[in-house]
Amino acid sequence: SIMGDLAQLETAEEAEGEEEEGAVSLDEETQLDYDNLKEAVLVQTSADKSQLESLQKQQTSEQSSNAQLESDLLNLDDKIDTDQSRLDELIARDKKMKQTVKESKIEHDDVQAQLDQLSRKEEAERSRLLEAQAELDEVAKQVNEGRDRRQQSRHDQQWSDTLMTLKRLFPGVRGRLIDLCKPTQQKYNRAVTVSAGKFMDAIVVDTQNTGYECIKYLREHRVGSRHFIPLKGIRSKPVNTYLRSLKPRNIHLLVDVIECEADIKPAVQ
C-alpha cells in the first residue's frame, strides 16, 4: 500500500542517513530496492498531490458556486420582496379603481336620472308649447276669418252700394242673379251654388246696351268688374223634358229647383 511504501521509504532514508553518518554503505540489492521504492513513492505522491490540487480546485469551485447560489438566493428574496410590494400596490390600485368605478356608476346613474327628468320636463314643456301654439293658431285663424269677414263685408257693402247706384243710374238693372232667384228647398242651396258657379254674382240687366253702360261706369270709377246677363237677346234652349224621365228620383234639373220671376227665367236657363 501507499502508506506501507512510505514507511519503507522512511526506514530506508533513515538507514541511508545512518550510513552517511556512520559511513555505512548499502549493498547493491538494497540500494536498488531503495531507489525503486523511492521512485514509486515519488510517483504516488505526485498523483496524490495532483488529486489533492484537483479536489482543492473543485472545493474552491463549489465554494464559489455556493457563494453565487447564496447571492442568487438573496437577489431572489429581494425580487420576491419587490414583487410582493408591487403586488400589494397593484391590489391597492385595483381596489381604489373599483371604488372609483362604483362611485362613477353611482354618479352616472344620478346624472342619467337627472337627464331623464329633464327630458320628461322638456317633453311636457314641448307639449304645452304645442298646445299654446295650437291655441295661438286658432286665435290667429279666428282673427283672419274675422278680418276676411270684415273685408268681405266691406266688399259686399261696396258692391251693394255700387249696385244701388247702377240701379239708380240705369233703370234696366234688375239686380244680382243670386238675389233674383232662390232654391225651392234649402237642401238645394249647395247644388244651386255649385252649378251656377261665378254667375251667381252676375248682374241681370234688360239689354246688352245697359250692360255696356254698367261696365263703362265700373271702369271709370274703378270699383271692380262683374258679369252681366242681358235678358233681351239671350238664346236659351228649352228644357228637354225627356231628361226628366231619365233622371233618378233624387236628382233634379237645375231649372226645376229654382224659383224666380218669369222674366228672369231666361237668365237661369
Side-chain angles (χ1 to χ4, degrees):
S1 65
I2 296 176
M3 298 302 296
D5 293 340
L6 288 174
Q8 292 179 4
L9 179 59
E10 289 176 355
T11 302
E13 288 178 346
E14 289 176 356
E16 183 179 2
E18 290 176 355
E19 289 179 355
E20 290 178 354
E21 292 177 359
V24 179
S25 60
L26 298 175
D27 57 27
E28 183 178 355
E29 183 178 358
T30 302
Q31 185 66 41
L32 181 60
D33 291 338
Y34 171 77
D35 292 337
N36 290 334
L37 180 59
K38 184 178 180 180
E39 183 178 358
V41 170
L42 291 175
V43 171
Q44 185 64 40
T45 301
S46 177
D48 291 341
K49 186 176 181 181
S50 296
Q51 184 178 5
L52 178 61
E53 291 176 353
S54 177
L55 291 174
Q56 288 176 342
K57 289 181 180 179
Q58 183 178 356
Q59 182 182 14
T60 302
S61 176
E62 289 178 353
Q63 289 176 348
S64 177
S65 297
N66 289 337
Q68 183 64 41
L69 289 174
E70 290 178 356
S71 177
D72 292 342
L73 182 60
L74 291 176
N75 292 334
L76 182 59
D77 289 339
D78 292 340
K79 188 175 185 303
I80 290 174
D81 292 339
T82 302
D83 291 343
Q84 184 63 44
S85 299
R86 178 63 175 168
L87 178 61
D88 294 339
E89 180 183 353
L90 291 175
I91 292 174
R93 288 179 59 186
D94 179 69
K95 183 178 180 181
K96 184 177 180 180
M97 289 178 65
K98 287 181 178 178
Q99 181 64 26
T100 302
V101 170
K102 182 178 179 181
E103 293 175 355
S104 298
K105 186 177 185 305
I106 294 175
E107 183 178 359
H108 173 270
D109 293 341
D110 184 50
V111 171
Q112 186 63 46
Q114 294 180 17
L115 288 176
D116 293 340
Q117 183 178 3
L118 289 175
S119 179
R120 290 191 296 270
K121 184 177 180 181
E122 181 183 1
E123 186 66 25
E125 292 293 338
R126 185 182 296 109
S127 178
R128 285 194 292 270
L129 179 61
L130 291 176
E131 292 177 358
Q133 185 63 45
E135 293 178 1
L136 182 61
D137 292 342
E138 181 63 25
V139 171
K141 180 181 178 182
Q142 294 176 2
V143 170
N144 290 332
E145 289 177 351
R147 184 184 300 112
D148 292 341
R149 284 194 296 270
R150 287 195 299 271
Q151 291 177 352
Q152 184 64 34
S153 178
R154 287 195 297 269
H155 181 73
D156 292 343
Q157 183 62 43
Q158 181 182 7
W159 269 108
S160 178
D161 295 340
T162 301
L163 182 59
M164 293 297 294
T165 301
L166 292 176
K167 286 183 177 181
R168 186 177 68 254
L169 296 176
F170 310 106
V173 176
R174 301 294 301 274
R176 294 188 308 167
L177 181 62
I178 191 174
D179 298 327
L180 298 175
C181 59
K182 63 179 181 178
T184 56
Q185 297 183 39
Q186 188 175 0
K187 64 180 180 179
Y188 298 132
N189 284 348
R190 182 176 180 81
V192 171
T193 301
V194 172
S195 299
K198 62 183 179 180
F199 291 102
M200 290 298 294
D201 286 330
I203 298 175
V204 179
V205 295
D206 55 354
T207 63
Q208 288 186 353
N209 185 57
T210 301
Y212 292 148
E213 292 296 330
C214 291
I215 293 173
K216 181 180 178 181
Y217 175 85
L218 296 178
R219 287 177 178 175
E220 290 176 351
H221 292 79
R222 297 181 179 180
V223 290
S225 62
R226 276 291 188 274
H227 291 285
F228 289 88
I229 302 176
L231 295 174
K232 187 176 181 180
I234 290 180
R235 297 179 181 178
S236 59
K237 296 181 180 180
V239 177
N240 188 349
T241 57
Y242 177 71
L243 295 176
R244 292 190 176 96
S245 64
L246 296 178
K247 63 180 179 62
R249 290 185 177 181
N250 60 341
I251 297 179
H252 302 276
L253 297 178
L254 182 62
V255 295
D256 293 338
V257 296
I258 292 180
E259 293 179 346
C260 61
E261 296 180 5
D263 60 341
I264 303 298
K265 277 286 185 179
V268 177
Q269 294 177 345

